[in-house]
Every structure is written in structure tokens, then in C-alpha cells.
Amino acid sequence: METKRKVVVIGAGAVGSTFAYTLMQSGLAHDIVLVDADRARAEGEALDMNHGLFFAPPVEIRAGGYEECADASVVVVTAGARQKPGQTRLDLVSENVRICRQIVEAVGRHTEDAVILMVTNPVDVLTYFALKYSGLPRERVLGSGTVLDSARFRYLLSRHYKVDPRNVHAYIVGEHGDSEVALWSMAHIGGLPLKLYCAMCDSQIAPPDHDGILKEVRGSAYHVIESKGATYYAVSLALARIVGAILRDESSVLTVSTMLDELYGVRDISLSMPCVVDRSGVSRVLRADFTAQEVEGLRDSAKALRKVIDEVERQGEAPFRRRP
Ligand code: NAD
């Protein structure tokens, strides 16, 4: 018998509720539960979605408490403070580390079987703490990482090359944030390295401006936040992609944030690399062949994250009860 695909979403704000709505329409889940400190909000969002069930694949949607995690396949954590205009993701750290502590402890009281997907920012730092102090195996705690950034990168390349974004393969790795790294060496369109693709286009398409494109990827969230206050559509599609890979045991390659064993001298840090994602969470980290510049970028990104983690730990806010 097929196991029930149940997803608990902690935080029914802009990201949590838009993700639930995206998931509802995808047909990927049998059961979606919204948990929020503001219970009325979770109930309102669930009711609003239920009113649309006539137009969607069959699914149960409700507001609930942490006890709903007991038989969940995936717990998606979107609760916390969001970026305000001009604020970096790292500015959010202290507040969200404290919230993350309460949530991970509450989830841990009800299940040790679910995969935990962190979304709240700064997502790599929170993924690190959620793993360290939940006591779960590393593969089961992951962050949405740079799946969204890689989509933004692909979108910009698709615009530049005038080709469907689904035929562009290109990854952003490292921090989901200002130090993220574009893997230009691995980028290709329909199997062709970018240089070859350019050559095929009879010089009608100039080579892309690497720095300009990376700057635009890094600035994407800032632009959206400045204009409408928050980002939630594209991230929700990215989350549905990750959760779908877990629920359907897809073994999809996605740039999720994961605790690294050792890679190019980077260890004991959660950041994004191309990973194989399946029912167990992250089953493999792909050890890609980076250029010297990409390696340097990854190490710098790890250093930036390590600095924040050390700062949190120095302030005595390392938040979770360490399990044996
Ligand atoms: P929001 O303010 O709209 O929603 C946050 C929700 O969390 C609110 O409903 C609030 O009541 C709830 N909440 C706060 N503390 C809680 C607690 N202790 N327990 C349960 N619920 C609690 O914010 P948003 O726009 O939905 O953003 C949420 C987070 O997602 C932010 O940290 C934001 O930066 C992050 N985000 C991440 C990505 C990514 O790619 N990783 C993309 C967009 C946003």
C-alpha cells in the first residue's frame, strides 16, 4: 500500500501559505497541515484553500498543532521573521535561530522519522543549527538553499540565450545569499557548453556578462522585496519541486543546503551543492569538478557562514538541546 504523503508546513505566512497553495494544486500530497503561532491565520488560510478544492486534485488541508508531525513525511519550516527592505538574510539570524529552536524541539517531540526542510532565512545557518541540535541524521535535515537561486540563474541565462529555461542546466552553489557562487564551468544548454552554444548562434548572441548576471541573481530577492515586500511565488514552486522529489523518491539533482562532510576543504557547514534528493532527504552530494575560481568562491561562502555561526554560538544563542 502506498504510504500517505503528508506535509506539515510550520509558518502560514506569505511563503508557507503560498507553498501550501502550490502543493495543493500539484497533486503531490494527500494531506497538508498548516501550523502557525497565529492559529487564526493558519485556519483562515486552510479554509480559503479548502474553498478551492472543487478545482484541485483531492487533498486534505487543515490547520493543526505539532502533534500532526507524528505521521508526516516532510516538515517544511517557513516560520520566522522575514527580510525587511535593505536587510540582508544574515541580519535575521538571532531572531530566527530562537524561533527555529522552539520549532525543532516541538517537532522532535512528535517524530524522528520526517524529513525536515528549512526555508526560514538565513536558511543555511538555520539548517546547520536544526541538524546539530535535532540529533537527526544529516541526510534528513536539509535547506531549500540555492534551488531558487539556480532557477533565477537559469531564467536569466534563458533570457540571454533566448531559449526555454527548462533546457538550461546551471547551478548556483554555496550560501543562499550574498556570497553565493555561479558554476559557469558546468553550465550548458541542451547538452552544449555555453561557449559552443554561442558559436552555433552565428555570433548573434554575445557571451554573457558573468559578473552582471551573478549580481542580478544575488540582487533578485532585494528587488522583489523592495517592490512588493516579500518573495513567495518562485520560492513556493522551488519548495514544491524539493518536496515532490522527497515524496516521490525521485533521486532528483537539486542544489539544496546540506551539512558537508568534506568538500574542497569545507566541512561542518551547511551550504548548497548539487545533491541527489530522494525519500531519505539528501542521499548524495555530487562532488563536481570545480575551477580554481569556483573553489575559492565556495570556500569564501563557507567562511562567511562560519563567521555567522561562530557569532551566534559566542552570543550563547546556540539554541538547541544537544541530543546524545
Ligand atoms: P511572514 O511574516 O509572512 O510569515 C511568517 C509566519 O511565521 C507568520 O505567519 C508568523 O505568525 C509565523 N511564526 C513566527 N514565529 C512562529 C513560531 N514560533 N511558530 C510558528 N509560527 C511562527 O514571512 P514570509 O514572507 O512567509 O517569510 C518566512 C521566512 O521565509 C523568512 O525568514 C524569509 O526570509 C524566508 N524566505 C526564504 C526563502 C528561501 O529561498 N529560503 C525565500 C523567501 C523567504
Side-chain angles (χ1 to χ4, degrees):
M1 200 180 72
E2 197 197 3
T3 49
K4 197 159 132 186
R5 294 176 183 169
K6 178 173 179 180
V7 179
V8 175
V9 185
I10 317 279
V15 175
S17 55
T18 310
F19 162 60
Y21 178 65
T22 308
L23 193 63
M24 162 194 171
Q25 294 182 81
S26 71
L28 286 165
H30 300 129
D31 237 334
I32 303 172
V33 181
L34 295 172
V35 179
D36 198 290
D38 180 350
R39 177 70 183 231
R41 173 161 197 169
E43 280 172 0
E45 295 290 3
L47 190 61
D48 195 5
M49 284 179 235
N50 274 311
H51 292 160
L53 278 181
F54 178 68
F55 310 102
V59 56
E60 283 274 334
I61 307 169
R62 61 185 171 279
Y66 283 93
E67 67 285 354
E68 291 278 7
C69 296
D71 58 346
S73 312
V74 191
V75 176
V76 182
V77 180
T78 74
R82 63 154 82 136
Q83 264 172 288
K84 295 172 189 75
Q87 210 179 21
T88 70
R89 292 181 183 93
L90 296 183
D91 289 336
L92 295 177
V93 71
S94 301
E95 200 176 341
N96 285 347
V97 161
R98 267 193 299 276
I99 292 172
C100 182
R101 169 189 188 171
Q102 299 163 0
I103 291 172
V104 168
E105 287 187 349
V107 172
R109 281 195 283 276
H110 296 281
T111 179
E112 297 203 340
D113 296 330
V115 172
I116 297 182
L117 174 62
M118 300 301 298
V119 184
T120 309
N121 277 319
V123 67
D124 304 288
V125 174
L126 294 193
T127 304
Y128 175 90
F129 281 118
L131 172 66
K132 283 259 159 174
Y133 299 94
S134 67
L136 292 173
R138 72 174 62 206
E139 67 272 15
R140 291 242 302 283
V141 180
L142 59 151
S144 55
T146 56
V147 174
L148 172 58
D149 314 64
S150 296
R152 287 171 172 153
F153 187 33
R154 289 170 186 211
Y155 162 72
L156 291 171
L157 288 175
S158 79
R159 293 291 294 259
H160 180 84
Y161 288 102
K162 300 179 179 58
V163 69
D164 186 337
R166 293 171 300 179
N167 295 120
V168 180
H169 280 264
Y171 297 118
I172 298 284
V173 296
E175 177 201 0
H176 168 60
D178 299 341
S179 68
E180 64 195 7
V181 180
L183 295 183
W184 288 101
S185 67
M186 286 170 64
H188 65 87
I189 296 172
L192 292 174
L194 296 185
K195 268 191 191 143
L196 257 182
Y197 193 84
C198 264
M200 275 190 41
C201 297
D202 302 329
S203 313
Q204 286 162 5
I205 300 174
D209 166 12
H210 287 201
D211 291 345
I213 287 189
L214 180 56
K215 200 168 156 215
E216 207 170 332
V217 173
R218 286 176 175 167
S220 303
Y222 296 110
H223 292 149
V224 177
I225 289 166
E226 262 160 35
S227 49
K228 60 173 226 172
T231 67
Y232 38 86
Y233 294 128
V235 66
S236 296
L237 287 161
L239 296 176
R241 179 74 184 89
I242 301 167
V243 168
I246 298 167
L247 293 174
R248 294 197 296 208
D249 199 23
E250 284 178 357
S251 298
S252 295
V253 176
L254 296 164
T255 50
V256 289
S257 187
T258 187
M259 172 69 91
L260 287 185
D261 241 349
E262 202 289 326
L263 189 81
Y264 293 121
V266 175
R267 63 177 66 80
D268 193 33
I269 206 96
S270 288
L271 50 67
S272 288
M273 281 289 297
C275 295
V276 177
V277 178
D278 62 19
R279 194 187 344 221
S280 67
V282 172
S283 64
R284 196 178 313 142
V285 178
L286 300 188
R287 304 182 72 88
D289 205 7
F290 286 14
T291 63
Q293 198 185 2
E294 290 163 352
V295 171
E296 202 187 317
L298 189 78
R299 288 182 180 144
D300 287 348
S301 198
K303 268 189 221 150
L305 288 166
R306 168 56 56 197
K307 213 170 135 199
V308 180
I309 289 166
D310 287 349
E311 188 55 35
V312 172
E313 288 183 331
R314 233 190 330 274
Q315 287 172 7
E317 287 170 12
F320 308 111
R321 171 174 44 90
R322 208 177 266 274
R323 285 193 191 164

